[in-house]
Amino acid sequence: MNSLKHVVVAFDGTNDSKEALELGISMCKKMDSNLSVIYIHKENLFTEGIDQASTPLLSPVHSYPVGGVGNIPVVPIPQENSSDRETVINEKNSKRIMALENEAKQILDRHHVQADVAVSYGEPSEGIVTYAKENNGDLIVVGSRDMSGLKKLIFGSVSEKVSQRASIPVLIAK
């Protein structure tokens, strides 16, 4: 096996990703490797941070009682400016991202390890693989989240997708 010069750890603040980070730190210390920690933020402007019950555009279509001319659907009227909604979502996302970066840095500091901590946007498995490739990663470490059979069948797990897409070794921490 070639020496590992650069280990990339996927981190999202879950216990599984914390285990992956701890494992990545331990490996880097033993092999004198560089370490990068990456968080891929999957933005969803349509549902994230929005109370659907109070947002007319995302609520079910309302109509008048059946019969007569009254069964024409009512067109919902937005109660707030969409740019205001995006601002609120962006502020929540920024706070979450900063909290995750700080949490990763605290773990690194506790172990006296220097690492690059990066944030990117997009589909997590694709972003992790792309980051590792663009930054000459030799190993990707990801956490394993136990999912039920149906959920795993429909969505697949990030760790599974990373292992399928990556051209470098992937270590799944449990």
Side-chain angles (χ1 to χ4, degrees):
M1 182 169 134
N2 297 338
S3 67
L4 300 175
K5 295 179 182 170
H6 186 198
V7 176
V8 176
V9 178
F11 184 78
D12 66 1
T14 62
N15 288 336
D16 300 321
S17 71
K18 290 176 188 175
E19 289 292 325
L21 182 54
E22 295 281 345
L23 180 58
I25 289 169
S26 175
M27 291 176 69
C28 287
K29 281 183 166 182
K30 289 177 183 172
M31 294 185 282
D32 196 31
S33 302
N34 291 326
L35 178 65
S36 291
V37 180
I38 180 72
Y39 168 62
I40 308 296
H41 182 72
K42 186 174 184 177
E43 266 186 306
N44 185 348
L45 290 176
F46 295 108
T47 58
E48 191 171 316
I50 296 175
D51 179 14
Q52 290 185 350
S54 66
T55 308
L57 291 176
L58 296 176
S59 298
V61 175
H62 300 285
S63 62
Y64 295 106
V66 177
V69 293
N71 70 356
I72 300 170
V74 175
V75 178
I77 300 170
Q79 293 178 347
E80 61 182 271
N81 187 344
S82 63
S83 65
D84 292 343
R85 184 177 305 128
E86 287 178 19
T87 300
V88 169
I89 293 170
N90 288 336
E91 286 175 8
K92 286 182 180 182
N93 289 340
S94 294
K95 287 179 183 178
R96 173 163 167 70
I97 290 167
M98 285 176 44
L100 285 170
E101 282 181 294
N102 288 335
E103 186 174 9
K105 288 177 182 177
Q106 286 175 356
I107 294 170
L108 293 165
D109 288 345
R110 189 173 65 234
H111 290 282
H112 309 290
V113 173
Q114 292 288 324
D116 293 323
V117 178
V119 176
S120 187
Y121 297 87
E123 200 278 318
S125 60
E126 196 173 293
I128 293 164
V129 171
T130 300
Y131 180 86
K133 186 176 184 178
E134 290 175 354
N135 292 278
N136 300 316
D138 297 310
L139 174 70
I140 299 172
V141 182
V142 294
S144 171
R145 194 172 297 158
D146 293 328
M147 287 189 203
S148 66
L150 181 60
K151 187 175 181 182
K152 188 173 183 177
L153 179 67
I154 293 172
F155 299 112
S157 69
V158 171
S159 56
E160 184 180 315
K161 290 176 186 176
V162 168
S163 68
Q164 290 171 353
R165 293 178 177 173
S167 58
I168 60 174
V170 176
L171 178 60
I172 300 173
K174 285 190 162 205

